């Protein structure tokens, strides 16, 4: 990834990924607007739209950590258009119940305004996630 302006929408999104990777939910919440809308794709185990920084971390990140070992989102490629940041990424993890690995490609669409993430939408092959979570 090339150099990104510290105040840019892409750099804010990058800080969110780094906080997630470090398990630093406080730092992750600091990247989210108070009225954030965070949407996990239909068919994903945590499908739905979550609001507020605490709502996002308690309903998404904490639940992923409870069900999966080593859950990580790897932010590979950024495509930026103004306030829109699309990240082509990968999830890696191992399901705690089945022991199956999860290597899946994803796309994340962030909207950044006023230096905070105001909207997130996940796109993922939910069948691969379901297969890893099913015995």
């Amino acid at each position: 990834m090339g150099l990104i302006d510290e105040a840019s929408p892409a750099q804010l999104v990058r800080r969110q990924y780094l906080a997630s990777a470090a398990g630093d939910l406080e730092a992750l919440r600091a990247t989210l607007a108070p009225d954030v809308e965070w949407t996990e794709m239909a068919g994903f185990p945590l499908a739905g739209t979550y609001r507020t920084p605490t709502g996002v971390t308690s309903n998404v990140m904490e639940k992923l950590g409870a069900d999966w070992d080593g859950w990580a989102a790897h932010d590979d490629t950024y495509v930026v258009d103004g306030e829109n940041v699309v990240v082509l990424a990968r999830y890696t993890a191992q399901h705690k119940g089945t022991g199956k690995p999860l290597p899946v490609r994803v796309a994340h669409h962030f909207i950044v305004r006023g230096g905070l993430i105001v909207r997130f939408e996940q796109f993922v092959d939910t069948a691969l996630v379901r297969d890893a979570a099913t015995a």
Side-chain angles (χ1 to χ4, degrees):
M1 192 171 78
L3 292 175
I4 296 175
D5 176 4
E6 286 294 322
S8 74
Q11 186 58 36
L12 177 74
V13 168
R14 176 73 176 139
R15 285 201 318 266
Q16 180 274 148
Y17 280 101
L18 292 172
S20 179
D24 187 344
L25 298 184
E26 183 177 338
L28 192 152
R29 286 190 290 271
T31 66
L32 305 176
D35 59 348
V36 65
E37 291 185 2
W38 186 282
T39 301
E40 298 287 314
M41 189 170 175
F44 191 71
L46 305 174
T49 299
Y50 304 97
R51 291 171 177 79
T52 77
T54 300
V56 170
T57 56
S58 64
N59 289 295
V60 179
M61 291 73 184
E62 290 178 21
K63 288 186 178 178
L64 288 171
D67 294 337
W68 300 85
D69 281 323
W71 182 275
H74 309 272
D75 52 330
D76 296 326
T77 304
Y78 283 68
V79 181
V80 181
D81 182 17
E83 66 184 11
N84 292 283
V85 179
V86 175
V87 180
L88 304 178
R90 296 169 288 123
Y91 292 152
T92 57
Q94 184 172 4
H95 193 268
K96 289 182 180 180
T98 67
K100 293 181 184 176
L102 175 69
V104 65
R105 296 283 298 156
V106 299
H108 293 156
H109 176 210
F110 295 86
I111 298 177
V112 177
R113 288 190 195 124
L116 294 171
I117 297 165
V118 297
R119 190 165 297 135
F120 165 88
E121 187 173 5
Q122 171 203 55
F123 300 89
V124 62
D125 184 341
T126 57
L128 291 177
V129 178
R130 181 192 63 235
D131 290 350
T134 304

